[in-house]
Amino acid sequence: MKTHKKKEYHPVVDALGKRIKNTIKSTSLVQKDVAHDANMDVENLRKYMRGDQEMKISTLMRISHGLKLTVSELLEGIEKEIN
């Protein structure tokens, strides 16, 4: 089996993934439900949560909707996390 090195993304990709994961845990949401509400496959949501995939702005908006947050709420203070 081939092993792939994780592509290097901007640190905000990891920070945002962790924030999505922590939001799901802290609000007792279920990944499957968030993915459904975001109109995406749960495995794609998990890729974003792990920081394995960079997302488009439209995807960010859909995930925010699935988390019952605005994009602004999801991104608030993220610059401090990556610095």
Side-chain angles (χ1 to χ4, degrees):
M1 178 185 270
K2 263 187 173 179
T3 58
H4 297 290
K5 184 177 178 187
K6 182 178 173 181
K7 185 176 178 181
E8 294 295 321
Y9 291 112
H10 190 279
V12 75
V13 175
D14 276 331
L16 183 56
K18 288 176 186 172
R19 188 168 281 195
I20 292 167
K21 184 177 182 176
N22 291 337
T23 300
I24 290 171
K25 284 183 180 181
S26 68
T27 57
S28 300
L29 292 170
V30 178
Q31 288 180 15
K32 181 179 75 169
D33 295 337
V34 172
H36 177 268
D37 291 347
N39 196 28
M40 68 173 44
D41 185 80
V42 71
E43 190 52 43
N44 282 336
L45 177 62
R46 289 180 183 137
K47 287 178 187 177
Y48 296 124
M49 290 169 53
R50 288 190 307 263
D52 289 345
Q53 188 169 329
E54 195 166 4
M55 68 180 79
K56 298 179 187 179
I57 294 172
S58 59
T59 304
L60 175 62
M61 292 180 73
R62 291 187 355 238
I63 291 172
S64 294
H65 172 78
L67 295 171
K68 314 284 190 271
L69 297 172
T70 65
V71 173
S72 298
E73 289 170 327
L74 185 58
L75 294 177
E76 186 176 353
I78 202 160
E79 296 91 353
K80 291 179 183 177
E81 287 181 35
I82 60 174
N83 290 332

